Amino acid sequence: MVLSGTTLYVGGHFSTIGGQARTYVAALNTTTGLANSFIPNPNSVVKTMALSGTTLYVGGGFTSIGGQSRNFIAALDTTSGLATAFNPNANNQVSTLAIDGTTLYVGGYFTNIGGQARNRLASLNTTTGLATAFNPNANNSFSALTINGSTLYVGGSFTTIGGENRNRIAAVDATSGLATSFDPNPTGNSV
């Protein structure tokens, strides 16, 4: 879910919500709970969202959304629900997003996104959709990302990332992608 003023954007496995037919993603009024006119109509699940101004970035299992072909990641106009020109064309599902200014961090199951080989974690320019030089090269998938200043905290199923052994939770430099000394080393799945 993502909150913007009195609008709550939600994604998931549903076909009706807020009194209206809406598949996989909707915008709800936070007072009434009713769905508004935002109807991107993806053909499969929306798992994650990040908002920047009037652009809602979404990731999931879809290959069509907002009236356009978009593989697993898209940017939507929050008023019309239509897909913007942003098209990183991931080759597999996106499960988590975090935004920092004009950089969108993306985690999931992909090995190619934004025109570059990127193993499961990448950063994209929000204008062009192209991958940046950031390349932590993780060996397995992601389920959570959060950014704090110049550090990106990540959680998932990986055991190596940013050139280091890290079990399921790590912190990487948000520019270089190298692992920091942060190493909580959990014994089970992190998230």
Side-chain angles (χ1 to χ4, degrees):
M1 293 186 281
V2 174
L3 183 63
S4 177
T6 60
T7 302
L8 181 66
Y9 296 93
V10 296
H13 290 276
F14 52 82
S15 57
T16 61
I17 190 169
Q20 299 293 322
R22 299 287 188 272
T23 53
Y24 306 112
V25 66
L28 307 174
N29 180 289
T30 57
T31 302
T32 65
L34 297 176
N36 71 17
S37 60
F38 178 80
I39 310 173
N41 199 30
N43 66 344
S44 190
V45 68
V46 170
K47 295 181 175 185
T48 183
M49 294 176 278
L51 184 66
S52 178
T54 59
T55 303
L56 182 67
Y57 296 90
V58 295
F62 55 84
T63 56
S64 173
I65 190 169
Q68 299 292 322
S69 293
R70 294 290 185 267
N71 291 322
F72 311 111
I73 185 169
L76 305 171
D77 179 280
T78 56
T79 302
S80 68
L82 296 176
T84 70
F86 177 85
N87 188 9
N89 195 28
N91 71 341
N92 207 333
Q93 291 191 28
V94 169
S95 54
T96 185
L97 299 171
I99 196 160
D100 184 32
T102 60
T103 302
L104 181 66
Y105 294 92
V106 182
Y109 297 85
F110 55 84
T111 56
N112 195 290
I113 190 169
Q116 298 293 322
R118 294 290 184 267
N119 288 321
R120 303 166 193 91
L121 183 61
S123 70
L124 305 172
N125 178 290
T126 57
T127 303
T128 65
L130 297 176
T132 70
F134 175 84
N135 188 9
N137 195 28
N139 72 335
N140 212 329
S141 63
F142 288 82
S143 53
L145 303 174
T146 192
I147 185 86
N148 183 29
S150 62
T151 304
L152 181 68
Y153 294 91
V154 296
S157 299
F158 56 86
T159 56
T160 63
I161 184 172
E164 301 290 338
N165 292 327
R166 295 289 186 269
N167 289 321
R168 301 172 192 88
I169 297 176
V172 296
D173 181 280
T175 303
S176 71
L178 295 176
T180 71
S181 60
F182 177 81
D183 187 9
N185 196 25
T187 56
N189 288 334
S190 66
V191 287

